[in-house]
């Protein structure tokens, strides 16, 4: 069973929300409702988040991300649909139980650090525990540990305004970690930070995640951030989830032109991995290398390959080996067995064509001749090779 499940969630603001849901189900579109003063903020959203995963929700401003997030911890009541957390239906809990879940099991980290200026860093980190009614000695112990975890050991007695933005955001993160909640909801938590500090925080979150194995729902409107952090990514548009998949899925097989246009500026060479673009070894069997060796067996492929990489190698690391010889780079598993190959042609096709090369699998079937998207990353990436 998944840790968190959203099933056919709707949130409508305005008059007669139930009627609006029925109309949306019947095919009325959002704009029509809006003209009547009703906002359908989230429409028919369903997804599962597995324990230990980072699930990213991405979308433009106003697409419904925060509204969706607030329904996940019961801060907002869905107009229709349900949220199951650890198998319990949050929408069916009485207010007291819901408050308990919200203060003990689910933690929220906001965009603006929400620190109390007249409390020390330590007291700020301990705030969630205070709400839980944890005794003072225990609070101090756990908040101190959490500050240590986010790299703020030694800053316990400082005041928030003595800290940089990145450090303040870490205090917010420490506050969430100190509560021991296993579900963290993060709403644009890093968006207010400078780019370099933001990257740092992303790295730190990924490292913490490896150790602590929290389940995280992370909201962002930044695709690169989504791609770095998300085990799975949901793309929202106008209240609806239009695609859910891995970073690779979204880049290589965007569900529609909207998703594709979102991904056009992404540096594919850093996001995609060898595993995502490799093809069957059989593809190069029967070919002949520059020095005249015919590749008859997989062993020949391994021997002739200019380099051997693993499935998680980012493709930016394939440029040099690929340029070295006409033969494909070999992708192997941990035991050194050949699991796939990346040919130079394949590498260039994936980088140059927004549709992911020859095997275009877009569900709308428009194929590579479909509506053109400007600005493929071609020039940028190839010139860097
Ligand atoms: N309390 C509310 N009352 C009425 N409308 C609301 C309310 N909260 C949100 N909305 C509307 O719902 C829609 C979705 O808003 P939401 O805040 O969820 O978007 P978002 O994706 O988080 O945007 P942003 O990236 O700007 O934070 C917007 O049209 C917004 O105006
Ligand atoms: Mg928001």
């Amino acid at each position: 069973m998944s840790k968190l499940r959203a099933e056919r969630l709707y949130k409508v603001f305005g008059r007669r929300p139930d009627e609006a849901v029925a109309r949306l189900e019947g095919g009325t579109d959002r704009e029509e409702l809006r003209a009547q003063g009703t906002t359908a903020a989230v429409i028919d959203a369903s997804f599962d988040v597995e324990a230990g995963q980072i699930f990213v929700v991405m979308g433009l401003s106003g697409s419904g991300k925060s509204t969706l997030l607030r329904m996940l911890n019961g801060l907002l009541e869905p107009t229709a649909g349900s949220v199951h957390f650890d198998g319990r239906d949050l929408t069916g809990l009485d207010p007291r139980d819901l408050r308990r879940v919200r203060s003990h099991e689910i933690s929220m980290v906001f965009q603006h650090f929400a620190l109390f200026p007249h409390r020390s860093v330590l007291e700020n980190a301990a705030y969630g525990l205070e709400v839980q009614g944890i005794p003072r000695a225990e609070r101090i112990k756990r908040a101190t540990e959490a500050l240590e975890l986010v790299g703020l050991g030694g800053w316990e007695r400082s005041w928030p305004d003595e800290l940089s933005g990145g450090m303040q955001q870490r205090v917010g993160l420490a506050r969430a970690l100190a509560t021991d909640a296993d579900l963290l909801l993060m709403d644009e938590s890093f968006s207010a930070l400078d780019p370099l500090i933001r990257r740092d925080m992303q790295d730190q979150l990924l490292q913490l995640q490896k150790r602590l194995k929290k389940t995280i729902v992370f909201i962002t409107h930044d695709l690169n951030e989504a791609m770095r952090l998300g085990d799975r990514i949901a793309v929202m548009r106008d209240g609806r989830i239009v695609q859910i998949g891995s970073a690779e899925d979204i880049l290589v097989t965007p569900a529609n032109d909207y998703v594709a246009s979102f991904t056009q500026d992404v540096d594919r060479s850093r996001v995609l991995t060898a595993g995502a673009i490799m093809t069957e070894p059989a593809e190069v069997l029967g070919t002949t290398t520059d020095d005249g060796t015919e590749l008859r067996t997989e062993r020949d492929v391994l021997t002739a390959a200019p380099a051997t990489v693993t499935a998680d190698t980012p493709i930016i690391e394939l440029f040099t080996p690929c340029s070295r010889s006409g033969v494909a780079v070999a992708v192997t598993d941990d035991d050194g067995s050949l699991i796939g190959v990346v040919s130079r042609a394949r590498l260039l096709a994936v980088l140059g064509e927004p549709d992911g090369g020859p095997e275009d699998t877009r569900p709308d079937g428009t194929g590579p001749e479909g509506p053109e998207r400007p600005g493929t990353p071609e020039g940028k990436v190839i010139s860097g090779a």
Side-chain angles (χ1 to χ4, degrees):
M1 192 189 40
S2 51
K3 185 82 184 169
L4 181 71
R5 160 170 288 181
E7 236 171 342
R8 313 216 57 184
L9 277 180
Y10 284 80
K11 184 69 191 181
V12 174
F13 296 106
R15 280 180 307 126
R16 295 203 285 271
D18 296 323
E19 188 189 307
V21 169
R23 290 179 57 195
L24 288 162
E25 285 173 337
T28 301
D29 73 43
R30 189 178 187 252
E31 291 317 308
E32 204 173 310
L33 293 172
R34 165 141 320 158
Q36 295 156 15
T38 301
T39 304
V42 174
I43 305 168
D44 199 11
S46 300
F47 56 86
D48 282 278
V49 184
E50 304 303 324
Q53 263 194 350
I54 302 185
F55 185 81
V56 169
V57 180
M58 187 185 73
L60 299 177
S61 183
S63 58
K65 307 179 297 292
S66 297
T67 305
L68 179 63
L69 197 74
R70 291 192 193 112
M71 290 194 280
L72 299 181
N73 73 348
L75 215 53
L76 273 180
E77 194 186 344
T79 311
S82 62
V83 175
H84 283 82
F85 173 58
D86 273 339
R88 285 161 304 176
D89 182 355
L90 289 190
T91 33
L93 288 185
D94 67 50
R96 220 193 53 194
D97 290 339
L98 185 59
R99 266 201 307 277
R100 221 203 80 84
V101 169
R102 212 152 62 207
S103 64
H104 286 72
E105 297 171 53
I106 304 179
S107 240
M108 219 162 179
V109 184
F110 298 94
Q111 171 172 0
H112 294 288
F113 324 117
L115 301 184
F116 300 107
H118 302 299
R119 287 172 172 232
S120 68
V121 163
L122 183 67
E123 287 166 332
N124 266 290
Y127 176 72
L129 301 172
E130 207 175 313
V131 173
Q132 289 180 9
I134 308 270
R136 187 176 156 77
E138 168 86 12
R139 287 202 309 258
I140 291 177
K141 176 171 166 285
R142 279 165 58 181
T144 306
E145 285 166 7
L147 286 168
E148 194 70 47
L149 269 177
V150 300
L152 285 180
W155 292 87
E156 293 82 356
R157 289 156 185 273
S158 304
W159 301 104
D161 66 5
E162 298 174 285
L163 271 53
S164 70
M167 291 162 87
Q168 291 184 33
Q169 192 55 297
R170 285 178 202 206
V171 179
L173 190 56
R175 179 190 283 170
L177 294 174
T179 64
D180 254 354
D182 19 289
L183 177 62
L184 300 188
L185 304 179
M186 305 183 69
D187 193 348
E188 303 268 9
S189 299
F190 303 153
S191 302
L193 304 174
D194 293 337
L196 283 180
I197 295 168
R198 185 168 182 172
R199 246 189 114 85
D200 239 30
M201 287 297 290
Q202 293 163 357
D203 286 340
Q204 191 159 21
L205 184 69
L206 288 169
Q207 274 166 22
L208 278 172
Q209 172 64 1
K210 274 200 192 128
R211 283 169 62 190
L212 305 177
K213 305 259 186 292
K214 303 277 182 188
T215 306
I216 299 176
V217 180
F218 191 103
I219 287 189
T220 182
H221 55 250
D222 182 280
L223 182 70
N224 280 301
E225 183 165 80
M227 300 260 157
R228 286 197 79 203
L229 296 179
D231 293 305
R232 290 172 76 232
I233 299 168
V235 184
M236 284 188 88
R237 179 190 197 182
D238 296 341
R240 294 182 189 272
I241 294 179
V242 293
Q243 183 166 9
I244 299 183
S246 65
E248 283 88 349
D249 293 337
I250 285 174
L251 273 182
V252 178
T253 50
N256 54 39
D257 284 347
Y258 175 78
V259 179
S261 67
F262 229 110
T263 60
Q264 73 191 13
D265 294 330
V266 167
D267 185 348
R268 284 150 202 259
S269 67
R270 290 176 198 282
V271 173
L272 290 173
T273 57
I277 69 161
M278 67 187 184
T279 51
E280 293 290 323
E283 177 159 317
V284 292
L285 291 181
T287 57
T288 305
T289 66
D290 293 348
D291 57 11
T293 319
E294 194 194 340
L295 304 178
R296 271 167 304 180
T297 64
E298 296 201 346
R299 175 167 292 278
D300 296 341
V301 175
L302 271 171
T303 313
T308 313
V309 301
T310 63
D312 346 304
T313 306
I315 64 181
I316 192 163
E317 291 173 29
L318 305 182
F319 289 119
T320 311
C322 268
S323 65
R324 224 179 275 148
S325 128
V327 185
V329 170
V331 186
T332 59
D333 63 13
D334 291 341
D335 305 326
S337 311
L338 187 66
I339 54 173
V341 293
V342 179
S343 66
R344 185 180 159 81
R346 174 69 179 152
L347 183 62
L348 295 183
V350 169
L351 293 172
E353 284 179 45
D355 299 311
E359 303 100 272
D360 179 48
T361 47
R362 278 202 286 170
D364 64 2
T366 49
E369 321 71 48
E372 234 190 304
R373 268 170 263 126
T376 70
E378 194 163 21
K380 178 170 79 190
V381 174
I382 292 173
S383 65

